[in-house]
Amino acid sequence: KWSGWIEGISLNGYEMIEYGYALRPNFWRAPTDNDFGANLHRRFVDWKNPGLKLKSFKAEEQGNRVQVVTTYELPRLAAVLTMTYLIGGNGAVDKEKKDMPHLFRFGMQLVMPGRFDRIDYYGRGPVENYDDRNESQRLGRYRQLVKDQYYPYIRPQESGTKSDIRWWKLTDIDGRGLAIRSDVPFSASALNYLPEDLDDGWDKDQAFRRIETTWIDHLVF
């Protein structure tokens, strides 16, 4: 209750969230070369660390589900974020989405243990695709490995996102994991790197650094 974040999701003692992390809102991604060219990484920098401060936490039963509503202040942006979860006895968690102003990203970030290394989704693929260039990829069902999602650009940057997704599963070799569904198409990625591992910061300094030399034993969704 002190943070308002979901810090654990387990099934029969099988933990889905990496210890020390939580399911959190995410407003940032690693800037691309195009972002640097348009100076977007500086224009939107306040969204990188908006300073979320919990103001209220409310939970109440609604039939066979529990509704949890959390409200946060974003001091650096003079904004308020309200998050609503509907948690059912079958393990389903529904999350409401509101329209937002233009920014790098508006979604959720989940860090899972490294054993969840398989992707199964229905959307555009098989290679990475984004809203500005996704029509070259066909809609379909794709099964891939997390280790193959990052594209080794000369300079580390945002990579691996798939768009127009209807449903997305992230599982281990035995098929255990999480499934995400939405009423409208969405975008998602799964990488063996945190966004800050790929973020070049204020200026381009990583032109010749190869991100493959960095490995972390969990994945970011």
Side-chain angles (χ1 to χ4, degrees):
K1 292 183 179 180
W2 64 270
S3 72
W5 310 132
I6 295 178
E7 297 183 348
I9 300 176
S10 62
L11 176 64
N12 297 326
Y14 202 72
E15 188 57 53
M16 306 289 177
I17 298 180
E18 179 75 5
Y19 178 77
Y21 292 89
L23 179 63
R24 295 177 57 106
N26 181 29
F27 308 114
W28 192 258
R29 56 170 173 74
T32 64
D33 283 322
N34 287 341
D35 295 325
F36 275 95
N39 215 29
L40 298 181
H41 67 298
R42 298 189 181 190
R43 289 167 52 190
F44 298 150
V45 70
D46 284 341
W47 288 101
K48 189 173 184 178
N49 294 297
L52 294 167
K53 182 179 179 182
L54 182 66
K55 296 299 293 181
S56 67
F57 180 100
K58 299 178 180 178
E60 63 179 10
E61 292 186 9
Q62 292 190 350
N64 61 350
R65 301 192 296 183
V66 173
Q67 177 177 273
V68 179
V69 180
T70 59
T71 303
Y72 299 87
E73 281 187 352
L74 285 66
R76 297 189 62 180
L77 295 152
V80 175
L81 171 68
T82 300
M83 301 179 65
T84 303
Y85 304 89
L86 290 171
I87 304 171
N90 61 352
V93 179
D94 295 336
K95 174 74 182 67
E96 290 187 358
K97 180 181 182 297
K98 304 293 186 181
D99 292 333
M100 290 292 293
H102 184 62
L103 65 163
F104 264 9
R105 174 167 288 161
F106 178 62
M108 304 291 288
Q109 177 175 299
L110 174 64
V111 180
M112 300 179 69
R115 62 180 176 272
F116 298 99
D117 61 352
R118 285 160 168 74
I119 300 168
D120 184 2
Y121 75 96
Y122 185 86
R124 292 193 182 273
V127 303
E128 68 174 14
N129 55 91
Y130 294 78
D131 284 342
D132 61 342
R133 56 181 179 86
N134 65 3
E135 293 185 2
S136 63
Q137 301 304 303
R138 293 182 179 274
L139 280 171
R141 182 178 183 178
Y142 299 93
R143 296 181 177 93
Q144 302 174 348
L145 297 176
V146 173
K147 68 179 182 66
D148 298 327
Q149 299 305 297
Y150 180 77
Y151 184 86
Y153 293 104
I154 292 296
R155 187 186 63 77
Q157 56 189 284
E158 161 71 18
S159 180
T161 292
K162 310 295 173 55
S163 65
D164 281 344
I165 296 171
R166 274 56 170 179
W167 53 262
W168 173 281
K169 297 179 181 179
L170 201 56
T171 70
D172 64 9
I173 193 171
D174 296 318
R176 293 175 295 191
L178 294 175
I180 290 86
R181 293 180 174 83
S182 175
D183 293 335
V184 296
F186 63 100
S187 297
S189 63
L191 300 172
N192 281 312
Y193 308 103
L194 294 165
E196 49 264 36
D197 294 327
L198 307 174
D199 193 336
D200 215 357
W202 202 249
D203 298 295
K204 288 186 181 183
D205 299 319
Q206 302 180 32
F208 301 103
R209 183 172 75 85
R210 292 185 64 81
I211 194 66
E212 296 95 317
T213 60
T214 300
W215 179 262
I216 53 180
D217 187 28
H218 57 250
L219 64 90
V220 180
F221 164 70

